[in-house]
Amino acid sequence: FDGVVINKCVKEDIDDELINMALKLRDDVNDKMDKLRVADSLDFIFELFRRCNKYIDDTMPWILAKDESKRDRLSTVLYNLIESIRIGTVLLQAFLPDTARSIFEQLNTEYTGYDTLSKFGYYNSKEIGETKILFQRIETK
């Protein structure tokens, strides 16, 4: 898609779990922070990112890409991933601001505020920014 992610709204049941998890994340993190459970708050955020990985395994976008009739579905899958990552990153910025800033740059989005967590679909379809490695691999001898 030349780096442009557009929601074509070709939804399947498998999308609901990821979307619901992303939408629930704000409340889950708030609940843990109210109880001063910072590590648990971070766990919720990274659980969403792990769920994104599972969503990739479940939806198999590499297979969708091979079938021209599935292009709109592929676009929706990619959009769901990008929007979920955006939502997780909005909350992550309180803990890892530099990393979050780098993710937002890569997503090329201005929707970085807490007020954008109330609905799924704020990501505006622009060209994705230049990708960068967020965490360097530590080489052990």
Side-chain angles (χ1 to χ4, degrees):
F1 300 112
D2 295 323
V4 179
V5 179
I6 299 171
N7 187 1
K8 297 286 188 165
C9 299
V10 181
K11 194 170 180 242
E12 293 184 3
D13 290 341
I14 196 168
D15 302 338
D16 292 335
E17 184 181 345
L18 178 66
I19 292 169
N20 290 336
M21 186 177 196
L23 288 172
K24 190 174 176 288
L25 183 63
R26 178 184 66 178
D27 293 338
D28 290 340
V29 169
N30 283 343
D31 179 59
K32 292 302 178 189
M33 289 304 292
D34 286 345
K35 296 173 183 169
L36 302 177
R37 309 274 312 255
V38 176
D40 291 341
S41 295
L42 274 169
D43 283 344
F44 274 116
I45 296 167
F46 281 99
E47 184 59 34
L48 175 62
F49 295 146
R50 285 188 291 276
R51 182 62 187 96
C52 287
N53 281 333
K54 184 175 182 330
Y55 181 77
I56 291 168
D57 291 340
D58 292 344
T59 57
M60 298 181 288
W62 58 93
I63 300 293
L64 295 172
K66 293 178 183 178
D67 185 346
E68 191 62 37
S69 70
K70 303 280 186 183
R71 298 290 286 179
D72 286 349
R73 174 65 186 148
L74 174 61
S75 186
T76 300
V77 166
L78 296 176
Y79 183 88
N80 290 343
L81 286 165
I82 294 290
E83 177 65 352
S84 296
I85 291 166
R86 185 199 66 78
I87 288 170
T89 304
V90 168
L91 292 163
L92 184 66
Q93 66 187 328
F95 304 96
L96 297 169
D98 292 338
T99 300
R101 189 172 19 266
S102 180
I103 295 169
F104 288 138
E105 287 171 5
Q106 291 178 58
L107 296 180
N108 192 21
T109 185
E110 68 273 6
Y111 293 105
T112 62
Y114 189 82
D115 59 322
T116 66
L117 299 177
S118 60
K119 74 173 188 168
F120 194 91
Y122 270 101
Y123 182 75
N124 49 335
S125 303
K126 289 196 218 177
E127 187 172 344
I128 297 292
E130 182 181 336
T131 59
K132 303 175 212 167
I133 295 173
L134 295 174
F135 302 103
Q136 294 291 331
R137 183 179 300 271
I138 297 174
E139 299 293 331
T140 58
K141 294 182 181 184

